[in-house]
Amino acid sequence: MKWVYIAAGIALYVKFLIIPNPAPDLSLSIVEAVVQDSGVPNAVTGIILRNRLYDTIFEVVVFTIAVMGAHFLLANERPFCTIYQFTDEPSVILARLGATIAALVGIELAIRGHLSPGGGFAAGVAGGTAIGLVAITSSTEWMQAMYKRWNAATWEKVSVLIFIVLAVITLAGIELPHGELGALVSGGVIPLLNILVAVKVALGSWAVILVFIRYRGLL
């Protein structure tokens, strides 16, 4: 039977090589069509947060499960005694300068991700990088206190819930006005989804960083 499978695979491969696959005759390019439908110049963001919004919902959920998994897997381990951090002044200054730059880049990517290269996931990674750089130059107690003071865990969960609600409303066919193409306030609900994803990824990264510092002693 395996030879039948092999023969069928070879036949299918030959079919792809021999039989032409003409491009569809479109009066409008795919990129232009995505831009018109989504109302944002960044076609990639339009695809992720509109055409592939169903997939993006589960990508956000998968990240949430990953954060929960990190807590679950390390919950029964003993906290690490030694915390490795930067202590020399030049390294501390450079790390905090890098954190400031990363935070500003994250904010810019979140609010302008629908206009230029960027978006919620990239912004969240930049925000998580900023938090990580602060973590390796600050005491663990201070990081934990700030995490609780700003209710980061609650905001992370709220951002996921709001994202899912807005995504479901969008998938149901209800959209906000697109506004003027290229303007900062445009694209309907897409900029809001970008910001929510950025908040979720950054705060989720903060939670994971604290877990690894506590149970591994380093990032």
Side-chain angles (χ1 to χ4, degrees):
M1 183 62 68
K2 66 179 181 179
W3 295 108
V4 176
Y5 296 149
I6 295 174
I10 294 175
L12 184 63
Y13 180 71
V14 172
K15 180 261 184 189
F16 289 150
L17 291 178
I18 296 176
I19 299 179
N21 186 22
D25 184 15
L26 298 176
S27 59
L28 193 66
S29 72
I30 296 177
V31 174
E32 292 176 347
V34 171
V35 170
Q36 286 189 4
D37 290 341
S38 61
V40 297
N42 186 354
V44 175
T45 297
I47 292 173
I48 292 175
L49 296 177
R50 190 177 185 278
N51 299 63
R52 288 184 60 250
L53 182 56
Y54 187 79
D55 297 337
T56 305
I57 293 175
F58 287 97
E59 290 174 5
V60 173
V61 172
V62 165
F63 185 83
T64 303
I65 295 173
V67 175
M68 295 171 60
H71 283 278
F72 177 77
L73 291 176
L74 297 175
N76 294 327
E77 296 193 14
R78 295 177 58 186
F80 207 80
C81 297
T82 305
I83 306 298
Y84 298 95
Q85 295 177 315
F86 290 157
T87 56
D88 57 298
E89 195 67 22
S91 297
V92 171
I93 292 175
L94 289 175
R96 293 186 177 179
L97 175 61
T100 303
I101 295 174
L104 293 175
V105 170
I107 295 172
E108 196 272 341
L109 291 176
I111 64 177
R112 289 178 51 84
H114 60 297
L115 304 178
S116 60
F121 289 102
V125 171
T129 301
I131 294 171
L133 290 172
V134 173
I136 60 178
T137 61
S138 306
S139 67
T140 307
E141 293 77 13
W142 182 81
M143 290 295 296
Q144 289 280 3
M146 293 299 295
Y147 186 80
K148 294 180 179 179
R149 176 182 176 184
W150 294 102
N151 298 315
T154 302
W155 283 110
E156 179 190 355
K157 295 178 179 64
V158 169
S159 64
V160 174
L161 293 176
I162 297 176
F163 178 89
I164 293 175
V165 170
L166 290 179
V168 170
I169 293 174
T170 303
L171 290 173
I174 303 174
E175 295 189 50
L176 296 176
H178 287 172
E180 182 183 353
L181 182 65
L184 183 62
V185 182
S186 63
V189 76
I190 289 180
L192 296 177
L193 296 179
N194 257 337
I195 294 173
L196 290 171
V197 171
V199 171
K200 162 61 189 170
V201 174
L203 296 182
S205 300
W206 192 352
V208 173
I209 287 170
L210 292 179
V211 168
F212 275 90
I213 291 177
R214 178 175 175 81
Y215 294 104
R216 288 292 182 265
L218 46 84
L219 302 180

